[in-house]
Amino acid sequence: MLNLVDVDAVLKHVDLNRQLDRIDINALLERIDMDRLLDRVDINRIVAKVDVEELVQRTELGALIAESTSSVAQRVLDSLRAETVTLDDLCNRVVNRLLRRAPDTVPLGPGVGR
């Protein structure tokens, strides 16, 4: 009996967008067993298709790594500079104390106060 029905003619009179708007997507998704669905996905097959070099170029990962590396190096240098200044100040205090110099008579830098 269904062989007599012209399905294309029936579908011409159906507003598919209206029918899709009536579907409760959340209810539909709750009926899907996502674990079972994901078990069917072959991750190795997907990863094998990834062009890593093209991905690195597209995401500018190399530039990001270089930038973060230079940022870390800059922080290390800044820390070393601060430690060097502290050590230099300590050495100056020790030398000034050994030579019995008053702190206010010592020039602040080379050629300053002369």
Side-chain angles (χ1 to χ4, degrees):
M1 174 91 111
L2 286 177
N3 292 341
L4 301 176
V5 175
D6 185 2
V7 176
D8 291 330
V10 171
L11 288 177
K12 284 182 183 178
H13 297 289
V14 175
D15 183 0
L16 290 178
N17 287 325
R18 184 172 172 231
Q19 297 305 316
L20 287 173
D21 288 341
R22 294 175 59 194
I23 296 173
D24 183 0
I25 298 296
N26 291 324
L28 179 64
L29 288 174
E30 284 183 22
R31 293 177 63 188
I32 297 173
D33 183 359
M34 292 302 288
D35 290 329
R36 185 173 176 217
L37 181 65
L38 289 174
D39 283 342
R40 297 173 58 188
V41 176
D42 185 358
I43 298 295
N44 291 326
R45 185 171 161 219
I46 294 171
V47 172
K49 293 180 181 180
V50 174
D51 182 357
V52 176
E53 289 183 25
E54 192 269 333
L55 181 64
V56 167
Q57 288 176 354
R58 212 171 58 194
T59 59
E60 298 178 1
L61 188 59
L64 181 64
I65 291 171
E67 183 179 321
S68 65
T69 302
S70 66
S71 175
V72 169
Q74 185 65 42
R75 284 191 218 134
V76 169
L77 284 175
D78 289 344
S79 294
L80 287 174
R81 286 183 187 126
E83 292 300 319
T84 303
V85 168
T86 302
L87 182 62
D88 185 49
D89 186 48
L90 179 65
C91 289
N92 282 333
R93 288 181 188 188
V94 168
V95 168
N96 289 337
R97 183 168 282 174
L98 288 173
L99 296 177
R100 298 177 190 228
R101 292 181 189 160
D104 55 340
T105 63
V106 178
L108 298 175
V112 178
R114 291 184 186 185

